[in-house]
DNA sequence: CCTAACCTACCGACTGGTTAGTCGGTAAGG
DNA sequence: CCTTACCGACTAACCAGTCGGTAGGTTAGG
């Protein structure tokens, strides 16, 4: 009974990297346990299956996926830009969400309602204050901002940005993103 | 030598469905050959591996992914709405692109330049004519439109729409999409 | 017109490596 | 003495890819 807590953490870290890189079907439990330095049987004692391990990883990172960046409904352009930056520093989270969408949740909400509801409510208030356009429903405002911030994300259908890109590229994308969100959603 | 052409077609159709549903790592070649009614050894005679089969499937559908909808740079809002509709009728294409991004092409362009270049050039002309705002580069205009059209797509990080959704929902999303693209990109 | 050679579609059965998950245990701490 | 961390070795199923064929159609030579 030397150090169960630390082992569990190393295991979840290794599993995060593995699932982010290969998805659920592509992940290998032997690779995870080897990378974590945790015995496989031990792993199965804590989490009962590969799927169970993915669930643990995903729910552990849920708040980081959702709140990687403080939500600022009164300044959506800045929020979108901050998301762009967070996708650059933490592409794993976006990839994890992508796998979950493709391998687990093909339609409907990706996350539980109680993660999104507070944001929708905040958007509604900002609309009442005249900070956000009123002709689009709060949940859709949110969806559109997330989609825009993900234009160059690790699940982009066009181009995925990386930290190695030229700083000028990042600046140009941030500027475009800020302008688009402002013109589209700020009255 | 009864009908090689038809068998090949059935095989590619079955492979498309399988890869769209499960991705490369999750796809099972036995399932594909069974669904197509084509012997597995035959399959390996035509395509040399599971990866080779995915490549064939993906390149076969490339033009449909890129040109599922006629590109109308002079009316980007309508283009975005048409893409929304095409994602509803053909979610497989978007999922295929998603798998390719996650399992194959983690950074940079998802598609070859020669697929995107004509569109960028058309956007540039539309900008010169004053039909599209000039403060955003053509390739980024395109990326932003694709991202917006994919707000409720099968790779959405928030909500994935489906044909079963209420017609009112579809109308509301189309209207929001049209408004956002117009305000953001049309002068 | 026949037939031998050849090509391509088609196929059932197999294999070797991989992989999720298990077993039966030791030892450390409380 | 009980619980929990830890572990090497194992297994049964799975799965991509192969083997060694048969048969139908086409062509060319006689």
């Amino acid at each position: 009974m030397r150090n169960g807590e630390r082992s569990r953490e190393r295991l979840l870290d290794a599993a995060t990297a593995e699932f982010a890189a290969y998805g659920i079907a592509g992940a290998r439990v032997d690779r995870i346990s080897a990378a974590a330095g945790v015995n496989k049987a031990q792993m199965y004692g804590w989490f009962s299956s590969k799927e169970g391990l993915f669930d643990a990883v995903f729910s552990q990172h849920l708040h980081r996926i959702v709140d990687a960046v403080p939500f600022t409904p009164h300044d959506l352009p800045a929020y979108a830009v901050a998301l762009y930056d967070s996708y650059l520093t933490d592409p794993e989270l976006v990839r994890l969400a992508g796998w979950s969408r493709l391998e687990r949740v093909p339609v409907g909400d990706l996350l539980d309602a109680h993660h999104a509801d507070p944001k929708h409510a905040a958007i509604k208030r900002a609309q009442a204050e005249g900070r956000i356009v009123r002709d689009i429903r709060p949940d859709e405002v949110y969806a559109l901002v997330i989609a825009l911030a993900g234009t160059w994300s690790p699940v982009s259908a066009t181009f995925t940005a990386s930290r190695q890109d030229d700083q000028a590229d990042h600046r140009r994308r941030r500027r475009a993103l800020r302008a688009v969100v402002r013109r589209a959603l700020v009255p």
Side-chain angles (χ1 to χ4, degrees), chain A residues 86-156:
Chain A
S86 90
Y87 296 163
L88 279 181
T89 58
D90 244 330
E92 285 192 345
L93 298 185
V94 182
R95 290 180 59 89
L96 233 34
W99 293 115
S100 184
R101 170 58 84 194
L102 284 171
E103 302 193 274
R104 279 286 184 82
V105 191
V107 294
D109 279 306
L110 181 61
L111 307 176
D112 296 339
H114 73 267
H115 283 104
D117 281 348
K119 292 197 171 62
H120 297 168
I123 291 173
K124 198 172 177 181
R125 283 194 299 276
Q127 286 177 319
E129 294 166 14
R131 309 276 226 146
I132 299 178
V133 294
R134 288 171 227 232
D135 60 341
I136 301 175
R137 251 178 34 178
D139 58 336
E140 283 155 6
V141 168
Y142 184 65
L144 288 160
V145 170
I146 299 296
L148 278 170
T151 302
W152 302 277
S153 82
V155 293
S156 167

Side-chain angles (χ1 to χ4, degrees), chain A residues 161-176:
Chain A
S162 90
R163 249 172 304 185
Q164 278 87 330
D165 293 346
D166 212 64
Q167 279 305 321
D169 293 326
H170 295 310
R171 272 196 299 274
R172 195 170 4 87
R173 291 184 203 128
R174 287 191 198 100
R175 189 160 6 98

